[in-house]
Amino acid sequence: MAFVPDYPVETARLRLRPFTRGDVEAVFAYRQRADVARYLFDEPMSRESCTEVVQARVGQTGFEQEGDKIFLAVERLEDSAMIGEVSLILRSLESRQAELGYIFNPDFHGLGYATEASRALLALGFEGAAMHRIHARCDARNVASWKVMERLGMRREAHFHEHVLVKGVWDEELIYAMLEDEWRTRRDA
Amino acid sequence: MSASDLPIETERLILRHFEKSDLDSIMAYHLLPEVQRYLDRKARDKTECKAALDGMCAQRRLHRPGDTLTLAVARKSDELLIGQASLRWTDATAGQAEVRFVFNPTFCRQGYATEAVRAAFDLGFDHFGFHRIFARCGAKNHASARLMKGLGMRLEAHYREHALFQGEWDEELHFAILDREWRRGTKVKEIPTHLVA
């Protein structure tokens, strides 16, 4: 398949666009924070690590084969502040499965930005890339994150208990998912 | 880790390694279409059943993550082989294993599968020291789901249309139980009240 959306993608308050090398400082601003790293697989990052992360994200803007990733920087329209990132990973071509992800700077939490940006990415996934099911996961303690999934209308499909050790601690993980017909029903409601 | 405690005896069953001589017994259920669906490898004729049996005969110990220990389940009363249960070691650091089982439908509804899986849990938690054992089944496989719930497993996941399975959208359930939950549920036997002075 070949799927590359037209960028930027705009919502009411946000702009989703491919990463550029100039995003390092904005990414460092949130990836250096312990409260952000707490629920990610990574530890708080140095500026050097962020440079590598951003470089790896540049150019990941479309789907062609399984495992391909779309990483988009999220900016506020009003002041072009880079407030976070969203991602969509093509997990299975045959069964049209993708995984949604997001990381936002806590300075901009609580304003509905993560929900707004993720909804735009679900639209790209279901309508642009013709995905059948999109899932997302988070640490069960990350209440703000799974609240976003619930606001998006995703269903809780899994709650795993102590199924893996993450950073030396027993993990509890939630998986939420949405099917293409559920997306359409919500959109047309 | 070896399973030196084999064979395992339960009230009505013996769990032992598979032997080459089990071919006819496994063909009796592997060849059934309703069983076929849940097998790891195709077993549509005698040659394929023999290959499947060879594979199961070789699954005798858990040395490293990824290894599977497969047990033949036979009735004590007549030594008839009625099914199989296996433990697959999936994760060393987190002590995770998957239990799988397949039984000859002729001997269903008599609690044999429950009795065998219970023995597999004892082996997994007590002998191998696993932290968590999980099991999966199709959402329409009500008998398996009931068995897992009956053993005190928790339904941790219900995936809908997350994959294509033999050309159809799959719906899958995940059940799991932790070592401390299994021990609490089965090891601490309460003294029957009529025996309390």
Side-chain angles (χ1 to χ4, degrees), chain B residues 104-187:
Chain B
N104 186 332
T106 310
F107 306 102
C108 279
R109 300 188 171 274
Q110 299 176 61
Y112 290 140
T114 298
E115 196 170 320
V117 174
R118 186 177 285 135
F121 282 179
D122 282 338
L123 184 71
F125 289 125
D126 297 342
H127 182 78
F128 292 113
F130 292 130
H131 178 69
R132 176 176 172 273
I133 296 179
F134 67 96
R136 298 176 292 161
C137 74
K140 286 178 196 146
N141 189 348
H142 302 298
S144 284
R146 204 165 40 237
L147 185 157
M148 295 180 208
K149 272 184 216 146
L151 285 170
M153 299 185 90
R154 176 180 35 249
L155 177 64
E156 291 200 342
H158 184 161
Y159 293 125
R160 288 183 53 206
E161 306 186 11
H162 63 124
L164 284 165
F165 182 66
Q166 297 173 359
E168 286 175 20
W169 285 117
D170 193 37
E171 201 172 330
E172 189 177 85
L173 307 179
H174 279 231
F175 290 85
I177 189 161
L178 301 172
D179 51 359
R180 61 176 181 273
E181 296 167 336
W182 179 244
R183 295 203 162 95
R184 190 174 59 222
T186 63
K187 297 295 174 195

Side-chain angles (χ1 to χ4, degrees), chain B residues 31-49:
Chain B
L31 291 175
L32 301 172
E34 71 264 36
V35 170
Q36 191 84 205
R37 190 179 159 79
Y38 299 108
L39 297 176
D40 278 343
R41 56 161 94 196
K42 290 278 162 263
R44 291 162 297 199
D45 54 34
K46 189 164 182 172
T47 312
E48 288 182 341
C49 281

Side-chain angles (χ1 to χ4, degrees), chain A residues 118-139:
Chain A
S118 299
R119 190 175 287 125
L121 209 57
L122 286 178
L124 287 183
F126 284 119
E127 292 168 31
M131 289 294 113
H132 179 68
R133 176 177 169 277
I134 296 176
H135 73 272
R137 48 175 135 188
C138 74
D139 189 301

Side-chain angles (χ1 to χ4, degrees), chain B residues 10-29:
Chain B
T10 65
E11 193 191 338
R12 297 176 294 166
L13 305 171
I14 294 175
L15 282 71
R16 56 164 175 81
H17 292 305
F18 267 101
E19 305 298 340
K20 306 279 182 206
S21 54
D22 291 322
L23 185 57
D24 288 342
S25 307
I26 72 155
M27 280 174 66
Y29 60 98

